[in-house]
């Protein structure tokens, strides 16, 4: 018999096991992989951006879906407490650009090892290579009673915590089992989709710029007249469309609409200049080389890989002599530079998505305890819930905070009974 059985040995599952065991519970942790923290290992390109050291207001504003639900969790275990916690577990930490927090070593394995070490110190029973088949409920189906493994073994428990993650990076074990367990207990799961994922574009000229990375550009995405996303940053052209920080962030805000319709996007390639300033810059370029052909001034303004595409869309023959270019031609070219157009027709799949959007509906979960409102003693933490945020350590903070809330609530419920 266990006081608490946890399904999933990722960030939320490991953290919850530590917090619950520290609170005095007997904890069993079941992980279907051969080791804990497989997805944590690859986060932040293996460096593990484990939280963000921003003000708590920014923490909330960086959550894309259901930020209000996280009020109790974020205040109950803040990002600053997370940093202090890992320091106390022996992980030296640092804060980089954008308030992103990392281990000083730049090794995600330090985070995993620190958690494993603490789990062992606390006597948590870790079951590796142990995939769970289903939840066990009492006869009435009103309370959690344990789990049944795929090999038939049953672990009885007073409470169960589902921390199975989402559906992204399925090679790490995020196979959507948590949604199935939740539905088996009567919970609704909102539509899931890949998020923080590269975007697929419709035009043939985008893949021609494959490998080109643009810094300091502005991306705007619309559905007709409605603006869905606008942000300044870095973008990468690929063989299928666009990637990089801007594209990944945009995917979390446009994913739902994109399932229904293609979207229109424009890039401002020179956001530091107004259209009039850009036009004046072109005039200066023309005056400095009046007898040269238009194509010869473009390397001063754009990367080489972009020039053939800009020429095509800009409507000025590359062999036109600069002093013969009309004001109308110059104005049209400026418009293309300030609003470089393309369409977004989809996203890449789950195996390229950093997180999953959607999950167990939070209206059926108590935000101050993470306990199911439908089944007593059933708790949730992390990405299995309909919660997601932008990149920068925010999604892992959701995992730590919800794990803390669930573990402490489970411990209090056990100790009271």
């Amino acid at each position: 018999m266990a006081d608490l059985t946890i399904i999933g040995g990722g960030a939320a599952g490991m953290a919850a096991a530590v917090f619950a065991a520290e609170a005095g519970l007997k904890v069993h942790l079941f992980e279907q992989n051969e080791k804990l923290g497989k997805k944590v290992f690859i986060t932040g390109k293996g460096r593990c951006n484990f939280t963000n050291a921003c003000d708590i207001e920014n923490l909330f504003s960086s959550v894309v879906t259901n930020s209000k639900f996280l009020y109790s969790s974020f205040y109950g275990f803040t990002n600053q407490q997370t940093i202090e916690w890992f320091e106390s577990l022996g992980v030296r930490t640092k804060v980089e650009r954008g308030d992103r927090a990392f281990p000083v070593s730049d090794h995600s394995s330090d985070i995993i090892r620190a958690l494993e070490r603490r789990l062992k110190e606390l006597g948590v029973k870790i079951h590796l290579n142990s995939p769970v088949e289903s939840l066990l409920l009492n006869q009435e189906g009103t309370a959690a009673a344990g789990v049944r493994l795929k090999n038939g073994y049953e672990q009885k428990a007073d409470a169960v915590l589902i921390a199975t993650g989402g559906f992204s990076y399925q090679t790490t074990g995020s196979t959507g089992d948590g949604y199935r367990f939740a539905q088996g207990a009567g919970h609704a799961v909102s539509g899931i989709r890949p998020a923080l994922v590269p975007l697929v574009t419709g035009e043939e000229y985008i893949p021609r710029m494959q490998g080109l990375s643009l810094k300091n550009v502005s991306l705007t995405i619309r559905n007709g007249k409605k603006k869905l996303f606008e942000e300044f940053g870095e973008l990468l052209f690929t063989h299928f469309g666009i990637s990089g920080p801007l594209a990944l962030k945009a995917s979390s805000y446009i994913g739902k609409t994109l399932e229904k319709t293609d979207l229109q996007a424009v890039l401002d390639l020179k956001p530091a200049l107004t259209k009039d300033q850009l036009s004046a810059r072109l005039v200066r370029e023309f005056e400095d080389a009046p007898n040269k052909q238009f194509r010869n001034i473009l390397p001063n303004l754009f990367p080489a890989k972009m020039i053939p595409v800009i020429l095509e869309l800009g409507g000025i023959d590359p062999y036109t002599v600069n002093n013969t270019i009309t004001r109308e031609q110059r104005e049209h070219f400026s418009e293309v530079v300030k609003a470089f157009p393309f369409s977004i027709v989809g996203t890449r799949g789950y195996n390229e998505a950093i997180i999953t959007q959607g999950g167990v509906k939070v209206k059926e979960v108590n935000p101050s305890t993470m306990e199911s409102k439908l089944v007593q003693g059933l708790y949730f933490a992390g990405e299995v819930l309909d919660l997601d945020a932008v990149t920068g350590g925010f999604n892992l903070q959701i995992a730590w905070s919800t794990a803390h809330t669930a573990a402490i609530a489970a411990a209090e419920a056990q100790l009271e009974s």
Side-chain angles (χ1 to χ4, degrees):
M1 186 74 184
D3 293 327
L4 176 65
T5 287
I6 298 172
I7 314 172
M14 287 189 288
V18 169
F19 295 134
E22 285 178 341
L25 294 189
K26 183 180 172 187
V27 181
H28 283 252
L29 175 61
F30 289 89
E31 168 54 51
Q32 64 180 342
N33 288 312
E34 74 288 356
K35 58 186 175 183
L36 298 176
K38 277 188 97 169
K39 191 174 176 187
V40 176
F41 186 73
I42 60 171
T43 57
K45 296 177 180 168
R47 296 176 61 217
C48 196
N49 174 198
F50 69 91
T51 189
N52 193 288
C54 64
D55 294 338
I56 196 125
E57 294 79 19
N58 289 349
L59 206 57
F60 285 102
S61 64
S62 300
V63 176
V64 177
T65 310
N66 294 319
S67 62
K68 287 179 182 171
F69 177 82
L70 287 161
Y71 190 87
S72 294
S73 290
F74 275 174
Y75 277 104
F77 192 70
T78 67
N79 46 349
Q80 297 304 328
Q81 285 174 285
T82 298
I83 293 169
E84 290 163 13
W85 182 52
F86 278 110
E87 291 274 355
S88 76
L89 294 176
V91 181
R92 290 177 57 229
T93 64
K94 61 180 176 179
V95 177
E96 295 188 358
R97 181 174 55 87
D99 289 325
R100 294 171 304 155
F102 294 90
V104 166
S105 66
D106 283 332
H107 292 142
S108 55
S109 53
D110 283 6
I111 294 282
I112 300 164
R113 269 200 297 268
L115 291 168
E116 285 178 325
R117 198 163 51 239
R118 188 64 181 138
L119 290 169
K120 282 168 186 163
E121 286 169 3
L122 292 162
V124 171
K125 297 285 187 292
I126 299 167
H127 306 263
L128 301 175
N129 297 305
S130 300
V132 171
E133 175 61 39
S134 59
L135 289 179
L136 297 176
L137 303 176
N138 66 358
Q139 281 189 323
E140 297 77 27
T142 56
V147 298
R148 180 181 293 111
L149 301 195
K150 287 191 175 169
N151 65 9
Y153 173 78
E154 291 188 355
Q155 173 69 57
K156 298 292 199 298
D158 294 312
V160 176
L161 169 61
I162 298 175
T164 49
F167 213 51
S168 54
Y169 291 132
Q170 290 171 27
T171 50
T172 66
S174 301
T175 50
D177 285 345
Y179 306 134
R180 184 168 57 80
F181 301 149
Q183 286 168 325
H187 278 271
V189 175
S190 60
I192 61 165
R193 66 188 66 84
L196 298 180
V197 64
L199 299 170
V200 181
T201 55
E203 289 71 20
E204 57 75 32
Y205 54 77
I206 299 292
R208 280 161 52 193
M209 297 183 285
Q210 178 182 349
L212 174 62
S213 178
L214 298 178
K215 292 183 178 178
N216 305 322
V217 294
S218 178
L219 172 65
T220 305
I221 301 172
R222 295 178 185 274
N223 178 22
K225 290 182 179 177
K226 187 179 181 184
K227 188 190 292 182
L228 301 178
F229 179 82
E230 185 174 35
E231 191 96 6
F232 176 84
E234 192 173 332
L235 184 118
L236 173 70
F237 292 107
T238 70
H239 65 284
F240 55 77
I242 57 172
S243 188
L246 272 181
L248 297 185
K249 187 171 185 180
S251 70
S252 288
Y253 290 93
I254 67 171
K256 199 169 185 178
T257 311
L258 196 52
E259 289 174 340
K260 303 185 191 86
T261 183
D262 295 349
L263 302 173
Q264 306 79 47
V266 292
L267 272 178
D268 185 344
L269 300 171
K270 300 288 180 186
L273 302 176
T274 64
K275 197 178 152 207
D276 288 344
Q277 288 170 328
L278 176 61
S279 194
R281 166 85 190 269
L282 287 172
V283 168
R284 287 200 304 277
E285 294 282 350
F286 296 160
E287 287 171 350
D288 289 345
N291 299 313
K292 284 192 173 180
Q293 294 172 341
F294 180 58
R295 64 192 176 121
N296 293 325
I297 68 160
L298 294 181
N300 301 336
L301 297 165
F302 306 104
K305 256 191 177 176
M306 182 166 247
I307 290 173
V309 176
I310 276 283
L311 280 168
E312 198 174 289
L313 299 183
I316 300 176
D317 188 299
Y319 299 99
T320 305
V321 175
N322 289 332
N323 64 11
T324 67
I325 292 171
T326 65
R327 181 182 173 184
E328 288 73 23
Q329 286 176 304
R330 189 179 75 240
E331 295 287 323
H332 174 69
F333 187 81
S334 298
E335 278 172 21
V336 170
V337 175
K338 293 293 288 177
F340 180 85
F342 56 96
S343 59
I344 297 170
V345 299
T347 70
R348 298 291 276 181
Y350 286 106
N351 272 337
E352 291 179 52
I354 295 172
I355 57 159
T356 306
Q357 200 166 57
V360 176
K361 288 199 171 178
V362 297
K363 68 179 182 183
E364 298 172 350
V365 178
N366 184 332
S368 59
T369 62
M370 294 295 137
E371 186 177 16
S372 165
K373 291 179 180 178
L374 312 179
V375 176
Q376 187 182 344
L378 178 61
Y379 297 83
F380 298 93
E383 200 180 334
V384 71
L385 289 160
D386 186 12
L387 301 166
D388 64 279
V390 298
T391 55
F394 301 104
N395 288 289
L396 273 175
Q397 185 58 48
I398 291 173
W400 314 130
S401 291
T402 54
H404 182 268
T405 300
I408 298 307
E412 287 175 353
Q414 300 287 317
L415 296 171
E416 279 172 14
S417 63

